[in-house]
């Protein structure tokens, strides 16, 4: 049994080595919390478990090992923050959260209702699922395809969208021929574009970094792939401008737009905490999610929302032996919604079912390059 003081608690962060941006951003969030004493958050123990690959079984064993070791030392976690992305590792993290019955925040890509990944013994109010911008942005493809009544489309994506693109989902129930290609495993972009042209594909959606977008555009025949019958849609999570060596193109460029005030705040954040990423929205998402989660749990403790001041932890093995849960009634979701700490990018919206998302905007620009002249026309957000 571990006594929780009014301003201190322990956390466990679950992540993957293949998701370094989440790790970097969460460390920045922890440093932000530490530097700002006005926030009155004291973390006595921070347990970080990183998966080295997509082996869910190995990850679950690793999490249980670190969890049990800390519990036995009287330093068990009170809050779980799940940043995992790989499906197998995510499933293992979900199982651990179900098993231990601890309050948790997940930035997973699951689309199911939160109640579907809880055990019968735990309250839905314990859990928050924050939908990653990476999971939301690809839906732009579907919106455009429906609005323009497209009959064919190639969806070209890189690793920045790799874990969420499903070949049968984006254009499901839309009568359009579609080809979905991970350009990371394509040996020749130029040959890929030739083959797509031979298949009479006239609409190209590029979901990836600005570097990937430029590589694909420049690998196309600039004199034939940008005629009026072609449609080009560049969708990115990166901050910055699109560049190309092609001299006669017009395309729709879609990127996140936090607005001038939040953009300046995030640039300052980058400078203070050495955040080096072209994807401001992704880094800010992890940063704000961790900060708000810690502030929410501080409020839980300060309000004496625990049934007792003594918080008992059981071991992973205890639950495998059908141990019973302690009766805990914490409306963690409500406390999260009540945190008014200014965000670095965009506010979070929490649905009644415990699923939330960052309420960000995407800017639409028509980019026209003719000769040495580049024209950018804002057409909405």
């Amino acid at each position: 049994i571990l006594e929780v003081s009014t301003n201190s608690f322990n956390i466990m962060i679950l992540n993957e080595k293949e998701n370094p941006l989440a790790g970097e951003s969460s460390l920045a969030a922890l440093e932000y919390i530490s530097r700002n004493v006005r926030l009155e958050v004291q973390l006595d123990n921070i347990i970080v478990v990183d998966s080295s690959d997509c082996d869910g079984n190995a990850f679950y064993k690793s999490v249980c090992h670190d969890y049990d070791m800390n519990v036995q030392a009287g330093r068990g976690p009170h809050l779980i923050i799940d940043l995992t992305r790989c499906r197998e590792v995510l499933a293992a993290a979900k199982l651990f959260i179900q098993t231990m019955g601890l309050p948790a925040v997940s930035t997973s890509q699951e689309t199911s209702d939160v109640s579907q990944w809880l055990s019968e013994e735990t309250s839905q109010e314990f859990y928050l699922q924050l939908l990653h911008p990476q999971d939301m942005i690809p839906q732009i493809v579907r919106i455009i395809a429906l609005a323009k009544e497209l009959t064919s489309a190639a969806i070209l994506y890189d690793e920045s969208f790799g874990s969420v693109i499903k070949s049968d989902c984006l254009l499901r129930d839309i009568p359009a021929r579609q080809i979905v290609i991970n350009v990371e495993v394509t040996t020749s972009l130029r040959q890929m574009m030739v083959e797509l042209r031979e298949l009479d594909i006239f609409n190209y959606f590029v979901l990836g970094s600005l570097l990937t977008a430029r590589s694909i555009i420049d690998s196309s025949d600039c004199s034939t792939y940008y005629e009026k019958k072609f449609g080009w849609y560049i969708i990115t999570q990166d901050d910055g401008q699109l560049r190309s060596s092609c001299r006669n193109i017009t395309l729709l460029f879609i990127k996140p737009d936090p607005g001038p005030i939040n953009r300046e705040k995030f640039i300052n954040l980058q400078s203070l905490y050495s955040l080096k990423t072209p994807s401001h929205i992704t880094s800010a998402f992890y940063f704000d999610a961790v900060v708000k989660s810690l502030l929410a749990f501080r409020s839980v403790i300060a309000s004496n929302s625990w049934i007792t001041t003594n918080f008992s932890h059981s071991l992973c093995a205890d639950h495998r032996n059908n141990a019973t849960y302690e009766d805990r009634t914490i409306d963690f979701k409500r406390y999260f919604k009540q945190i008014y700490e200014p965000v670095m990018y965009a506010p979070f919206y929490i649905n009644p079912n415990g699923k939330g998302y960052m309420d960000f905007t995407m800017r639409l620009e028509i980019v026209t390059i003719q000769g040495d002249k580049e024209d950018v026309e804002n057409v909405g957000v």
Side-chain angles (χ1 to χ4, degrees), residues 323-360:
T324 58
Y325 286 81
E326 179 182 347
D327 183 17
R328 300 169 185 157
T329 53
I330 307 167
D331 191 351
F332 184 61
K333 177 178 66 178
R334 176 170 63 87
Y335 284 99
F336 189 96
K337 292 171 68 173
Q338 290 175 348
I339 295 300
Y340 294 109
E341 180 71 9
V343 295
M344 294 296 170
Y345 200 90
F348 285 98
Y349 177 80
I350 309 299
N351 289 314
N353 67 352
K355 182 181 290 186
Y357 58 89
M358 178 187 276
D359 192 13
F360 60 93

Side-chain angles (χ1 to χ4, degrees), residues 214 217-218 222 226 242-247 249 369 374:
R214 176 165 187 170
I217 294 170
D218 290 353
C222 297
Y226 298 96
L242 183 64
R243 296 288 182 260
S244 172
S245 61
C246 283
R247 299 293 88 190
I249 64 173
I369 301 175
E374 179 177 329

Side-chain angles (χ1 to χ4, degrees), residues 163-267:
S163 62
V164 297
I165 301 296
K166 299 178 182 178
S167 60
D168 62 340
C169 288
L170 286 181
L171 299 184
R172 179 177 294 169
D173 300 325
I174 296 178
R177 286 191 305 124
Q178 59 177 303
I179 298 175
V180 181
I181 300 175
N182 179 353
V183 298
E184 299 285 344
V185 297
T186 301
T187 55
S188 170
L189 290 177
R190 185 172 296 276
Q191 181 61 31
M192 177 192 73
M193 295 306 301
V194 170
E195 292 173 356
L196 289 172
R197 179 65 186 88
E198 291 174 348
L199 292 172
D200 289 333
I201 301 296
F202 295 102
N203 299 288
Y204 297 90
F205 293 90
V206 179
L207 291 91
S209 69
L210 290 176
L211 180 61
T212 294
R214 176 165 187 170
S215 296
I216 293 174
I217 294 170
D218 290 353
S219 69
S220 309
D221 185 340
C222 297
S223 63
T224 60
Y225 280 79
Y226 298 96
E227 299 171 354
K228 288 187 177 181
K229 62 182 177 181
F230 288 90
W232 281 86
Y233 311 91
I234 310 301
I235 305 170
T236 187
Q237 299 173 69
D238 286 1
D239 190 73
Q241 295 301 316
L242 183 64
R243 296 288 182 260
S244 172
S245 61
C246 283
R247 299 293 88 190
N248 184 26
I249 64 173
T250 298
L251 50 79
L252 184 63
F253 179 41
I254 306 173
K255 63 179 180 179
D257 180 20
I261 295 177
N262 282 352
R263 177 175 287 107
E264 183 177 353
K265 281 199 301 184
F266 186 80
I267 291 173

